[in-house]
Amino acid sequence: MDSSSQGSAAVAAARVDLCALDLMPVFAKEMIAGGVAGAFSKTAIAPLERVKILLQTRTNEFGSLGVLESLKKVRQHDGIKGFYKGNGASVLRIIPYAALHFMAYERYRCWILNNCPSLGTGPLVDLLAGSASGGTAVLCTYPLDLARTKLAFQVNSSDQLSGALKRASPQPTYGGIMDVFRGVYSEGGVRALYRGVGPTLMGILPYAGLKFYIYEGLKAHVPDDYKNSVTLKLSCGAAAGLFGQTLTYPLDVVRRQMQVQNQQQHGQFGGPRITGTFQGLIAIKQIQGWRQLFAGLSLNYIKVVPSVAIGFTAYDTMKHLLKIPPRE
């Protein structure tokens, strides 16, 4: 009798859970799927992301080092935890960012299909919807990206050159995300929290659009029997990330240097302060050389492959688990 009643209770609980899932709005499911996908992908490549930021910004200390040497140096000075410095802010940023990015992409895509039939239903729709959703997500979460960069920029124990730089230009030491927010806000108010958002938008609009354009375009040419293959999704995601990142990488370098330059002596790079996107591109090329515009790109190739691939694959998997209806 007891086992029968327990079985009935389990079935009833399952029905309640099923009903709760069915009652959840589709956009909420898309946000959950996107947030989980973003957290998985960002944590997987956190050590490479930390080293990439150091290569982009600490040119005097890391500019002449390769990927492996930089990883060794970070471990020597900060230990294993140093690989994940700033990852808390990164995950806090990426969860709402990815949630908004994927959800907004689906919403923009539906809107374009319903209101702009002349564009058809091909990859062009994915390009436009991806670009718009990327811009929306950046504007909503940019202060967290700024905090992540400032935390990742810090190195606890550095060499003699870094010590000389610190004595010449004392740098604030941040203890956490809220500490960054307080410090940056005291420097320039809300506007300071969006320092570098210009090159970020210029980079994310084409990158986000190309990412969805390539991913969905490649999937569209695959036979239906293979469209649910994890290997296929990983491959399409990797190709999308590599191509999109290569075209927009110099803008990412400008963004990082704008985000951390208030912590550095103005003359550390031997040039003027970066105040805008195009001015930053020209200044970096003239003072630091054109190669600096691609500093850390080889590392970015290594991390973009798993990051974008894991992100798209996790998103498609979560959509299936959450029973999100198929796209139009």
Side-chain angles (χ1 to χ4, degrees):
M1 187 73 174
D2 292 339
S3 61
S4 177
S5 60
Q6 290 176 355
S8 300
V11 172
R15 287 176 178 173
V16 170
D17 292 340
L18 182 60
C19 292
L21 187 61
D22 291 340
L23 292 174
M24 185 181 296
V26 173
F27 78 88
K29 294 180 183 180
E30 292 168 349
M31 293 189 72
I32 293 173
V36 171
F40 266 105
S41 63
K42 187 58 69 174
T43 302
I45 50 89
L48 297 175
E49 181 69 17
R50 172 86 201 280
V51 170
K52 187 198 78 169
I53 291 176
L54 292 174
L55 287 172
Q56 289 178 327
T57 57
R58 286 185 175 269
T59 55
N60 286 300
E61 300 169 69
F62 290 85
S64 60
L65 301 179
V67 175
L68 293 179
E69 289 80 5
S70 297
L71 287 169
K72 290 178 182 178
K73 187 169 184 176
V74 170
R75 183 178 181 181
Q76 177 185 352
H77 296 317
D78 294 336
I80 297 297
K81 290 184 178 179
F83 291 133
Y84 294 90
K85 181 178 286 186
N87 188 54
S90 182
V91 171
L92 282 178
R93 179 194 73 91
I94 203 63
I95 289 178
Y97 174 84
L100 286 169
H101 191 15
F102 282 104
M103 184 275 292
Y105 162 74
E106 302 286 0
R107 298 303 98 199
Y108 283 132
R109 186 177 185 277
C110 287
W111 185 89
I112 293 172
L113 289 173
N114 292 330
N115 294 275
C116 304
S118 60
L119 296 176
T121 60
L124 178 59
V125 175
D126 298 305
L127 177 68
L128 297 175
S131 296
S133 63
T136 300
V138 163
L139 291 174
C140 292
T141 62
Y142 187 79
L144 286 170
D145 181 62
L146 180 72
R148 184 272 300 264
T149 301
K150 288 185 176 294
L151 290 171
F153 176 77
Q154 298 177 155
V155 178
N156 290 335
S157 302
S158 192
D159 52 21
Q160 295 180 351
L161 176 60
S162 178
L165 287 172
K166 289 179 180 179
R167 288 190 294 272
S169 180
Q171 302 174 5
T173 301
Y174 299 108
I177 299 172
M178 296 307 299
D179 195 21
V180 174
F181 286 160
R182 284 191 292 267
V184 173
Y185 184 81
S186 65
E187 292 173 4
V190 175
R191 186 175 182 178
L193 292 172
Y194 281 86
R195 182 182 293 118
V197 73
T200 301
L201 285 174
M202 290 190 66
I204 200 63
L205 292 178
Y207 172 64
L210 285 170
K211 190 170 64 173
F212 281 100
Y213 177 88
I214 296 170
Y215 181 74
E216 297 296 339
L218 290 174
K219 282 179 61 180
H221 290 84
V222 172
D224 293 339
D225 294 342
Y226 297 96
K227 285 190 176 180
N228 291 324
S229 169
V230 174
T231 303
L232 171 71
K233 293 176 182 178
L234 289 171
S235 301
C236 292
L242 284 170
F243 185 74
Q245 192 70 193
T246 302
L247 295 179
T248 60
Y249 191 79
L251 295 171
D252 188 53
V253 175
V254 175
R255 168 174 62 124
R256 296 300 184 195
Q257 293 203 11
M258 287 184 71
Q259 286 176 333
V260 303
Q261 65 182 351
N262 73 304
Q263 292 179 272
Q264 302 168 326
Q265 188 178 15
H266 286 201
Q268 179 175 339
F269 293 144
R273 190 178 182 86
I274 298 174
T275 57
T277 304
F278 293 108
Q279 179 264 344
L281 289 169
I282 295 172
I284 292 173
K285 179 181 178 296
Q286 291 178 343
I287 306 302
Q288 302 171 48
W290 66 268
R291 290 187 178 181
Q292 182 59 29
L293 291 172
F294 295 91
L297 180 58
S298 60
L299 177 62
N300 222 44
Y301 285 146
I302 299 174
K303 81 179 187 67
V304 158
V305 172
S307 176
V308 178
I310 291 171
F312 273 120
T313 305
Y315 179 65
D316 283 344
T317 302
M318 287 300 299
K319 284 177 64 178
H320 175 73
L321 293 176
L322 295 173
K323 299 181 179 179
I324 298 176
R327 295 176 185 148
E328 297 179 40

